[in-house]
Amino acid sequence: MFEMPEKVTIREVGPRDGLQNEEENIATEDKIDWINLLSQSGLDYIEFSSFVHPKWIPQLKDAREVAEGITRTPGITYAALVPNRKGLENAIDTDVDEVSVFMSASETHNKKNINKTIEETYRVLEEVVTEAKAAGKTVRGYVSTVFGCPYEGKVAPSRVFEVSNRLFQMGIDELSLGDTIGVANPKQVDEFLKQMEENVPFSKVAMHFHNTSGMALANVLVSLERGITKFDAALGGLGGCPYADGASGNLATDDLVHMLEEMGIETGVNQEKLAEAATFIQSRISKELPSHQMQIRNRQGGRNDG
Amino acid sequence: MFEMPEKVTIREVGPRDGLQNEEENIATEDKIDWINLLSQSGLDYIEFSSFVHPKWIPQLKDAREVAEGITRTPGITYAALVPNRKGLENAIDTDVDEVSVFMSASETHNKKNINKTIEETYRVLEEVVTEAKAAGKTVRGYVSTVFGCPYEGKVAPSRVFEVSNRLFQMGIDELSLGDTIGVANPKQVDEFLKQMEENVPFSKVAMHFHNTSGMALANVLVSLERGITKFDAALGGLGGCPYADGASGNLATDDLVHMLEEMGIETGVNQEKLAEAATFIQSRISKELPSHQMQIRNRQGGRNDG
């Protein structure tokens, strides 16, 4: 087989990317309890919320209360999404460790998602990244619709590299490349990453897959083969994409950890603790979590625990 | 990327391996209509039932009626499972194209599944294979619990090769290696297949994955990398394993075809026709089919079609 990394780092995005796409509104106290459970699982990165205007994402309107309510475990990076300077100021106020900025690789999705052209977005993010760095924060850049756009179809890799490099020029510390609508196939991911090696600072890239067509773990596998060691995931497979019809949940953290650990790749995550956290948040939303690990547990009768 | 095959062959096992593990009893007429739909999808292999005693698998007690009721499309191989000479005789009576015999690589699972030791099973299958070949039938051999047994845990590859080669010595034309309880991980599959190349007639091997932990497509991917071009799958992800607690459905034909076609690998299967067949059988069982392709369709409002 291809060379496998010994260790993989997971960016838990469930409290942000997961919950922002769930219809159910979770009580602030429950979010705090959940994030505290996540902090005990061995994960060392938790994106806990988004400082966007509540008009856009009402599910995350309590970002400040969550930031101030959680118990911060030393060694864990607590990150939050910020769309603009106002969001950044609020995030800095609550002393987050890292902020994330975001934009799309496709013009139409960018316009529909953040109501700006890509060029206009560059100007906003340039300010945000500069100010965040000046405040001593590390910055993560998300690029969405990397493998396909719900409005434009396939997206040219060159377009993704261009957007990515603009973000790196601004000073981002890590780049997350998102298959927002879950259309990437392993061959496409492989060919994309092969090209990316020559175009983008590879070691600073995390892949962000959605499991819409069940290919997320296969896409992880080819990414591992290409040397990627950082992956975004949302516990239980929470979430989806509000701007893309039919897009289902994020790659599930528990399924990712399970596969990696079964393959002998270290994640640092305790699967039992992770399951406790998943069972807790499942009990607070109005549906079963879609991850395979949770489906197995639910069938074994643990559905109402937590 | 690794070299990809241009074409992959799919063995549709839904009417047998799928339905035998569903609680719902499907009317014979519905099975016939479903198999006729499958025959129109471009699949060229359909395992339509099992000639086992109804005491063991009541869901498939109408094997003869199904065999006699379906419209046989030229170019499609219609196969049926047979556990012993009695089953074989019934199968031959209905003029099947191919028969399948089965056993486990693990002693305990074999004992619990077919109530015989592995040695005793060899003697039964030897007769069945010889007689089937004499009757001009091709024969497929299933080996289950290849990557793990619900009773014994991990199974030594050498044990699998031994059982496999005994079946090849009997005269089987194709071998299907089953991850019966869905525990295989891509690293394990890769290492197994690497060893297998030197031990078993590789070109006659099909892989049979279950998607219990969501790794089936990732396991397909490493199998493709190792040169495997034949895969078993059940439409919609029907089925599971009655002898293994918590084991969920087969690798879904529709998800497999979707991934392969997205990767530019030819399957010969028409995805729209496949979806029609899936929608039909979904309407006849009391639950939504678990495949991602059907989940997407169901969310888009097609749940009650067919």
Side-chain angles (χ1 to χ4, degrees):
Chain A
M1 200 182 207
F2 37 89
E3 201 64 34
M4 280 290 146
E6 283 181 18
K7 192 170 170 10
V8 153
T9 302
I10 295 170
R11 309 304 193 200
E12 173 60 45
V13 299
R16 196 276 305 172
D17 198 20
L19 292 189
Q20 82 173 44
N21 296 309
E22 293 293 333
E23 285 169 28
E24 194 88 0
N25 258 301
I26 311 295
T28 305
E29 264 315 306
D30 288 336
K31 291 181 187 175
I32 291 168
D33 288 347
W34 182 39
I35 293 165
N36 287 341
L37 287 170
L38 290 171
S39 292
Q40 289 161 30
S41 71
L43 287 162
D44 60 10
Y45 189 101
I46 302 172
E47 196 179 62
F48 66 87
S49 194
S50 176
F51 287 89
V52 295
H53 196 286
K55 183 172 72 175
W56 302 113
I57 306 181
Q59 293 95 325
L60 302 183
K61 62 176 186 284
D62 54 4
R64 175 181 288 271
E65 291 75 16
V66 170
E68 289 169 350
I70 56 177
T71 303
R72 305 213 189 165
T73 303
I76 300 181
T77 301
Y78 294 93
L81 208 69
V82 297
N84 49 33
R85 287 181 72 170
K86 177 70 187 155
L88 176 65
E89 281 157 23
N90 288 334
I92 290 174
D93 258 8
T94 64
D95 197 28
V96 300
D97 298 315
E98 179 164 302
V99 295
S100 309
V101 297
F102 58 98
M103 62 183 299
S104 297
S106 81
E107 193 66 57
T108 317
H109 186 268
N110 198 73
K111 195 80 209 284
K112 297 215 184 219
N113 197 15
I114 49 187
N115 206 25
K116 287 185 178 59
T117 66
I118 284 179
E119 277 302 320
E120 288 163 354
T121 307
Y122 283 149
R123 288 197 288 275
V124 174
L125 299 193
E126 178 104 58
E127 280 189 354
V128 173
V129 176
T130 305
E131 200 169 314
K133 300 293 288 187
K137 305 299 177 192
T138 52
V139 182
R140 181 167 222 243
Y142 280 102
V143 178
S144 53
T145 65
V146 164
F147 297 98
C149 165
Y151 314 107
E152 297 180 16
K154 286 264 188 289
V155 173
S158 59
R159 190 75 185 130
V160 178
F161 303 148
E162 191 187 320
V163 171
S164 300
N165 282 319
R166 280 296 288 267
L167 290 169
F168 276 119
Q169 283 157 22
M170 293 176 199
I172 62 164
D173 301 277
E174 183 167 298
L175 177 72
S176 169
L177 295 177
D179 179 22
T180 313
I181 54 171
V183 294
N185 71 71
K187 182 158 182 269
Q188 186 187 8
V189 172
D190 181 69
E191 286 168 359
F192 173 87
L193 290 177
K194 190 177 176 203
Q195 285 182 60
M196 196 182 74
E197 272 186 291
E198 296 150 23
N199 288 281
V200 170
F202 202 82
S203 65
K204 295 182 174 178
V205 173
M207 298 305 291
H208 180 115
F209 293 116
H210 281 219
N211 202 32
T212 316
S213 285
M215 294 187 280
L217 287 176
N219 288 333
V220 166
L221 198 67
V222 292
S223 302
L224 290 170
E225 179 178 23
R226 284 275 170 214
I228 296 287
T229 58
K230 292 190 273 284
F231 296 94
D232 297 358
L235 186 57
L238 270 172
C241 176
Y243 303 97
D245 258 14
S248 77
N250 282 272
L251 167 58
T253 311
D254 36 346
D255 288 342
L256 175 62
V257 169
H258 176 79
M259 181 176 88
L260 294 171
E261 295 284 339
E262 289 290 305
M263 293 173 74
I265 298 171
E266 198 187 319
T267 63
V269 178
N270 179 312
Q271 293 189 68
E272 272 309 309
K273 296 273 186 189
L274 203 60
E276 283 172 33
T279 304
F280 176 84
I281 194 64
Q282 181 176 256
S283 74
R284 299 304 189 267
I285 60 174
S286 56
K287 62 169 196 183
E288 288 193 17
L289 288 171
S291 74
H292 289 267
Q293 290 305 304
M294 283 305 287
Q295 285 175 39
I296 292 169
R297 280 181 186 262
N298 289 338
R299 280 198 306 274
Q300 288 169 348
R303 193 172 318 171
N304 298 313
D305 292 357
Chain B
M1 199 182 209
F2 37 89
E3 202 65 35
M4 281 289 145
E6 284 180 19
K7 194 174 169 3
V8 153
T9 302
I10 295 170
R11 309 305 194 199
E12 173 60 45
V13 298
R16 195 275 305 169
D17 198 19
L19 292 188
Q20 83 174 41
N21 296 310
E22 294 293 332
E23 284 170 27
E24 194 86 359
N25 258 301
I26 311 293
T28 304
E29 265 315 306
D30 288 335
K31 290 182 188 175
I32 291 168
D33 288 346
W34 181 41
I35 293 164
N36 288 342
L37 285 171
L38 290 171
S39 292
Q40 289 161 32
S41 71
L43 286 162
D44 60 9
Y45 188 100
I46 302 172
E47 195 180 63
F48 65 89
S49 194
S50 176
F51 287 89
V52 295
H53 195 286
K55 182 171 72 173
W56 302 113
I57 306 181
Q59 293 94 327
L60 302 182
K61 62 178 185 286
D62 54 3
R64 173 181 290 271
E65 291 76 14
V66 171
E68 290 170 348
I70 56 176
T71 304
R72 306 217 189 163
T73 303
I76 299 181
T77 301
Y78 294 93
L81 207 69
V82 298
N84 49 34
R85 288 181 71 170
K86 176 73 187 153
L88 176 66
E89 282 156 23
N90 288 333
I92 290 173
D93 258 7
T94 64
D95 196 27
V96 301
D97 298 314
E98 178 164 302
V99 296
S100 308
V101 298
F102 58 97
M103 63 184 297
S104 296
S106 82
E107 194 66 56
T108 316
H109 186 268
N110 199 74
K111 195 82 209 284
K112 297 217 182 215
N113 196 16
I114 50 189
N115 206 24
K116 287 185 177 60
T117 66
I118 284 178
E119 277 302 320
E120 288 163 354
T121 307
Y122 284 149
R123 289 196 288 275
V124 174
L125 298 193
E126 179 105 57
E127 280 189 355
V128 173
V129 175
T130 305
E131 200 168 312
K133 300 293 289 185
K137 306 298 176 193
T138 51
V139 181
R140 181 168 223 242
Y142 280 101
V143 178
S144 53
T145 66
V146 164
F147 297 98
C149 165
Y151 314 107
E152 297 181 17
K154 286 263 186 289
V155 173
S158 59
R159 189 77 185 129
V160 178
F161 304 148
E162 190 186 319
V163 172
S164 300
N165 282 318
R166 280 294 288 268
L167 290 168
F168 277 119
Q169 283 158 22
M170 294 175 196
I172 62 165
D173 300 277
E174 184 167 299
L175 176 73
S176 169
L177 295 177
D179 179 21
T180 313
I181 54 172
V183 294
N185 71 70
K187 182 159 183 266
Q188 186 187 8
V189 172
D190 181 70
E191 286 167 359
F192 174 87
L193 290 177
K194 191 178 175 202
Q195 283 182 60
M196 195 181 76
E197 271 185 290
E198 295 150 25
N199 288 283
V200 170
F202 202 84
S203 65
K204 294 182 175 177
V205 173
M207 299 304 291
H208 180 114
F209 294 115
H210 281 220
N211 202 32
T212 316
S213 285
M215 294 187 281
L217 287 176
N219 288 332
V220 166
L221 198 66
V222 292
S223 302
L224 290 170
E225 180 177 22
R226 284 276 170 214
I228 297 287
T229 59
K230 292 191 273 283
F231 296 93
D232 296 0
L235 186 56
L238 271 172
C241 175
Y243 303 97
D245 257 13
S248 77
N250 282 272
L251 167 59
T253 311
D254 36 347
D255 288 341
L256 175 62
V257 169
H258 176 78
M259 183 176 87
L260 294 171
E261 294 284 341
E262 289 290 305
M263 293 174 74
I265 298 170
E266 197 187 322
T267 63
V269 179
N270 179 312
Q271 294 188 68
E272 273 309 309
K273 296 271 187 193
L274 203 59
E276 283 172 34
T279 303
F280 175 85
I281 194 66
Q282 180 175 257
S283 74
R284 298 301 189 270
I285 60 174
S286 58
K287 62 168 196 183
E288 288 194 15
L289 287 170
S291 74
H292 288 266
Q293 290 304 304
M294 284 305 286
Q295 285 175 38
I296 291 170
R297 280 182 186 262
N298 289 338
R299 279 200 306 276
Q300 288 168 349
R303 193 173 317 169
N304 298 311
D305 294 357

